[in-house]
Amino acid sequence: QVQLVESGGGLVQAGGSLRLSCAASGTVFSINVMRWYRQAPGKQRDFLASITSGGSTNYTNSVEGRFTISRDNAKNTVYLQMNSLKPEDTAVYYCNADVLRSGRYRNYWGQGTQVTISS
């Protein structure tokens, strides 16, 4: 079994920063792409950023320049550094990863961590 566990969410004021972490545990041989998504109340889950095992990154326009995705392959962990936070960043943040299992990459989700930005 593979589990993705997010941490680092919380309540911060607008303009502040948070750093989210997501660690993969279990039988993990290799992780290809790792991603962050978020879902605000009543809205769909939206892609935020991705990073390959080689470190190539991709961001959605709304967070580029404010959020930075990174990873530590030795720790099977992906991070999301969030700066200049706005009330509209309030959401549940989820990590997602393609993990090698039984000879193929399978997609996994974490349980989510709440981020609340006060104005």
Side-chain angles (χ1 to χ4, degrees), residues 25-59:
S25 63
T27 307
V28 179
F29 295 104
S30 173
I31 303 177
N32 190 7
V33 183
M34 304 186 83
R35 309 170 186 88
W36 286 99
Y37 288 74
R38 70 184 178 191
Q39 187 168 19
K43 296 190 176 181
Q44 66 182 19
R45 190 171 297 187
D46 291 328
F47 168 82
L48 295 179
S50 65
I51 184 167
T52 68
S53 57
S56 296
T57 59
N58 185 40
Y59 297 90

Side-chain angles (χ1 to χ4, degrees), residues 61-78:
N61 288 343
S62 62
V63 305
E64 190 158 20
R66 297 191 299 126
F67 293 6
T68 303
I69 190 170
S70 61
R71 65 190 282 175
D72 184 332
N73 290 330
K75 295 182 178 180
N76 293 325
T77 299
V78 63

Side-chain angles (χ1 to χ4, degrees), residues 1-116:
Q1 274 286 30
V2 172
Q3 282 190 314
L4 300 181
V5 179
E6 300 101 334
S7 60
L11 171 65
V12 298
Q13 289 188 329
S17 297
L18 279 175
R19 189 191 193 210
L20 305 183
S21 300
C22 172
S25 63
T27 307
V28 179
F29 295 104
S30 173
I31 303 177
N32 190 7
V33 183
M34 304 186 83
R35 309 170 186 88
W36 286 99
Y37 288 74
R38 70 184 178 191
Q39 187 168 19
K43 296 190 176 181
Q44 66 182 19
R45 190 171 297 187
D46 291 328
F47 168 82
L48 295 179
S50 65
I51 184 167
T52 68
S53 57
S56 296
T57 59
N58 185 40
Y59 297 90
T60 193
N61 288 343
S62 62
V63 305
E64 190 158 20
R66 297 191 299 126
F67 293 6
T68 303
I69 190 170
S70 61
R71 65 190 282 175
D72 184 332
N73 290 330
K75 295 182 178 180
N76 293 325
T77 299
V78 63
Y79 306 96
L80 188 67
Q81 177 66 44
M82 306 187 294
N83 299 328
S84 303
L85 286 162
K86 307 173 183 179
E88 51 264 42
D89 294 318
T90 295
V92 178
Y93 284 67
Y94 297 90
C95 70
N96 174 276
D98 298 330
V99 182
L100 184 63
R101 294 268 295 168
S102 302
R104 56 176 285 192
Y105 281 98
R106 301 173 189 269
N107 191 257
Y108 293 88
W109 289 93
Q111 83 288 350
T113 186
Q114 177 69 47
V115 171
T116 304

